[in-house]
Amino acid sequence: MEDLKKTIRSYSEVSNSDMEFGLRFYKKRTFKKGDFLLKPGQYIEHFYFMKQGCVSYYTIENGTSQVMEFYTEGYFFTDLYAYIQEIPSASYLEALEDVTVYSITKADVQKVFDHSHQLERFGRLSMQRTFVINFQRINDLRNLSNQERYLQLLKKRPELFQRVPQYLIASYLGITPVGLSKIRKRLSEK
């Protein structure tokens, strides 16, 4: 759990005793490639920290998958909207690789936050980071060209191109697989 501890401390200085208290609520869980951590209609029961693997967060609209995010090592994740609103999820969390996570229940998150101001601060700051990332993604989809979004993803998260099928990357970028192929071809000819 050293990676989890290090990530928590990157947000807030947490005492050893508070850290021990908080970490005892996290459970190590594994999922096989293709397993679902969440499906539409389910209430959010867990918040996850990715130790190893890759998870796709997506919805299906008009029969088409719309990838919203890929979660890899070091990410905290869940369907945050459904988590906060306490409504059934409309999304999927699917393992794209074999996955190892640390999970904590919503009830246990509240116990941890009630116990420690610093752990509550970590929770607030980590959720703020998620909101900023989501806002930036929406902004990029609205303001950047397809090629600019592709180049930005290639620069920020190049490992995804080795780990994630191209059709899912295309969905994440808001383009078709054919459109992604054309961008890649055009750039390779330069």
Side-chain angles (χ1 to χ4, degrees):
M1 289 193 148
E2 285 302 313
D3 45 355
L4 174 58
K5 192 184 299 187
K6 181 179 176 183
T7 302
I8 290 170
R9 285 200 167 123
S10 74
Y11 286 95
S12 179
E13 194 55 44
V14 178
S15 71
N16 289 337
S17 62
D18 283 354
M19 184 67 75
E20 280 182 37
F21 178 85
L23 290 180
R24 75 179 191 193
F25 292 99
Y26 283 88
K27 306 292 183 239
K28 186 176 180 179
R29 297 177 65 188
T30 58
F31 298 89
K32 294 288 186 195
K33 180 180 179 177
D35 285 351
F36 289 94
L37 288 72
L38 178 70
K39 287 184 178 180
Q42 294 178 326
Y43 283 88
I44 307 301
E45 296 180 22
H46 296 94
F47 213 93
Y48 299 100
F49 175 78
M50 181 68 73
K51 177 170 178 49
Q52 183 177 351
C54 182
V55 167
S56 176
Y57 173 48
Y58 66 96
T59 60
I60 295 182
E61 298 172 19
N62 302 320
T64 304
S65 174
Q66 299 292 313
V67 176
M68 295 176 283
E69 192 56 77
F70 298 108
Y71 298 113
T72 54
E73 291 79 8
Y75 276 80
F76 286 96
F77 67 97
T78 195
D79 179 344
L80 197 54
Y81 180 76
Y83 180 88
I84 291 170
Q85 296 296 318
E86 297 184 341
I87 59 173
S89 178
S91 305
Y92 295 86
L93 288 170
E94 181 180 357
L96 299 179
E97 302 171 346
D98 289 348
V99 166
T100 302
V101 295
Y102 296 117
S103 70
I104 185 169
T105 66
K106 191 170 185 177
D108 287 341
V109 166
Q110 196 56 56
K111 289 177 195 170
V112 170
F113 289 174
D114 288 344
H115 175 81
S116 167
H117 172 71
Q118 290 304 315
L119 287 170
E120 183 178 40
R121 183 172 192 271
F122 144 72
R124 178 178 51 82
L125 293 175
S126 65
M127 283 194 191
Q128 283 177 350
R129 178 177 178 260
T130 300
F131 282 122
V132 168
I133 289 168
N134 290 339
F135 178 79
Q136 185 63 53
R137 174 151 162 67
I138 291 166
N139 210 27
D140 290 350
L141 284 169
R142 291 167 72 190
N143 298 315
L144 299 179
S145 71
N146 294 344
Q147 182 169 312
E148 288 170 328
R149 289 193 307 275
Y150 169 79
L151 290 171
Q152 187 177 67
L153 183 63
L154 191 59
K155 181 181 177 183
K156 287 183 177 179
R157 298 183 73 190
E159 77 285 355
L160 289 179
F161 291 87
Q162 306 304 315
R163 300 173 76 174
V164 175
Q166 295 301 299
Y167 74 94
L168 292 178
I169 288 178
S171 174
Y172 178 76
L173 294 171
I175 58 180
T176 65
V178 172
L180 177 58
S181 292
K182 287 179 181 178
I183 290 169
R184 295 178 76 174
K185 183 178 181 196
R186 187 170 49 247
L187 289 171
S188 71
E189 292 172 352
K190 287 185 176 184

